[in-house]
Coordinates of all heavy atoms in Angstrom, one line a residue:
F119 N -17.6 5.7 9.1 CA -18.5 6.1 8.0 C -18.8 4.9 7.1 O -20.0 4.6 6.8 CB -17.9 7.2 7.2 CG -18.0 8.6 7.8 CD1 -17.1 9.1 8.6 CD2 -19.2 9.3 7.5 CE1 -17.3 10.4 9.2 CE2 -19.4 10.6 8.0 CZ -18.4 11.1 8.9
S120 N -17.8 4.2 6.7 CA -18.1 3.0 5.8 C -18.8 1.9 6.6 O -19.7 1.3 6.0 CB -16.7 2.5 5.3 OG -16.2 3.3 4.3
F121 N -18.4 1.6 7.8 CA -19.1 0.6 8.6 C -20.5 0.9 8.8 O -21.4 0.0 8.8 CB -18.3 0.4 9.9 CG -18.8 -0.8 10.7 CD1 -18.4 -2.1 10.3 CD2 -19.5 -0.7 11.8 CE1 -18.8 -3.2 11.0 CE2 -19.9 -1.8 12.5 CZ -19.6 -3.1 12.1
S122 N -20.8 2.1 9.1 CA -22.2 2.5 9.3 C -23.1 2.4 8.1 O -24.2 2.1 8.1 CB -22.3 3.9 9.9 OG -21.7 4.0 11.2
I123 N -22.5 2.8 6.9 CA -23.2 2.7 5.7 C -23.5 1.2 5.3 O -24.6 0.8 4.9 CB -22.5 3.4 4.5 CG1 -22.5 4.9 4.7 CG2 -23.0 3.0 3.2 CD1 -21.8 5.7 3.6
I124 N -22.5 0.4 5.4 CA -22.6 -1.0 5.1 C -23.8 -1.6 6.0 O -24.7 -2.3 5.5 CB -21.3 -1.8 5.4 CG1 -20.3 -1.4 4.4 CG2 -21.6 -3.3 5.2 CD1 -18.9 -2.0 4.7
S125 N -23.7 -1.3 7.3 CA -24.8 -1.7 8.3 C -25.4 -3.0 7.9 O -26.5 -3.1 7.4 CB -25.9 -0.6 8.3 OG -26.8 -0.9 9.3
V126 N -24.7 -4.1 8.3 CA -25.2 -5.4 7.8 C -26.6 -5.7 8.4 O -27.4 -6.5 7.7 CB -24.2 -6.5 8.2 CG1 -23.0 -6.4 7.4 CG2 -23.9 -6.4 9.7
M127 N -26.9 -5.2 9.6 CA -28.3 -5.4 10.1 C -29.3 -4.9 9.1 O -30.3 -5.5 8.7 CB -28.5 -4.8 11.4 CG -27.8 -5.5 12.6 SD -28.5 -4.8 14.2 CE -28.2 -3.1 14.1
A128 N -29.0 -3.6 8.6 CA -30.0 -3.0 7.7 C -30.0 -3.7 6.3 O -31.1 -4.0 5.8 CB -29.5 -1.6 7.5
G129 N -28.8 -4.1 5.8 CA -28.8 -4.7 4.5 C -29.4 -6.1 4.5 O -30.2 -6.4 3.6
V130 N -29.2 -6.9 5.6 CA -29.8 -8.2 5.6 C -31.3 -8.2 5.8 O -32.0 -8.8 5.0 CB -29.1 -9.0 6.8 CG1 -29.9 -10.3 7.0 CG2 -27.7 -9.3 6.5
I131 N -31.7 -7.4 6.7 CA -33.2 -7.4 7.0 C -34.0 -6.8 5.9 O -35.1 -7.3 5.5 CB -33.4 -6.7 8.4 CG1 -33.0 -7.6 9.5 CG2 -34.9 -6.3 8.5 CD1 -33.4 -7.2 10.9
T132 N -33.5 -5.7 5.3 CA -34.3 -5.0 4.3 C -34.4 -5.8 3.0 O -35.2 -5.5 2.1 CB -33.9 -3.6 4.0 OG1 -32.5 -3.6 3.7 CG2 -34.0 -2.7 5.3
T133 N -33.5 -6.7 2.8 CA -33.5 -7.5 1.5 C -33.8 -9.0 1.8 O -33.7 -9.8 0.8 CB -32.1 -7.4 0.8 OG1 -31.1 -7.9 1.6 CG2 -31.9 -6.0 0.4
Y134 N -34.1 -9.3 3.0 CA -34.3 -10.7 3.4 C -35.4 -11.4 2.6 O -35.4 -12.6 2.3 CB -34.5 -10.9 4.9 CG -34.2 -12.2 5.4 CD1 -32.9 -12.6 5.7 CD2 -35.3 -13.1 5.6 CE1 -32.7 -13.9 6.2 CE2 -35.0 -14.4 6.1 CZ -33.7 -14.8 6.4 OH -33.5 -16.0 6.9
N135 N -36.5 -10.7 2.3 CA -37.6 -11.2 1.6 C -37.2 -11.8 0.2 O -37.5 -12.9 -0.2 CB -38.7 -10.2 1.3 CG -39.7 -10.2 2.4 OD1 -39.4 -10.2 3.6 ND2 -41.0 -10.0 2.1
G136 N -36.3 -11.0 -0.4 CA -35.8 -11.4 -1.7 C -35.0 -12.7 -1.7 O -35.1 -13.6 -2.5
G137 N -34.1 -12.7 -0.7 CA -33.2 -13.8 -0.5 C -34.0 -15.1 -0.2 O -33.7 -16.2 -0.6
L138 N -35.0 -14.9 0.7 CA -35.8 -16.1 1.1 C -36.6 -16.6 0.0 O -36.8 -17.8 -0.2 CB -36.7 -15.6 2.3 CG -37.3 -16.7 3.2 CD1 -36.2 -17.5 3.8 CD2 -38.2 -16.1 4.2

Side-chain angles (χ1 to χ4, degrees):
F119 277 92
S120 284
F121 189 73
S122 295
I123 287 181
I124 294 173
S125 183
V126 288
M127 285 196 304
V130 168
I131 284 189
T132 56
T133 59
Y134 199 83
N135 269 43
L138 200 58

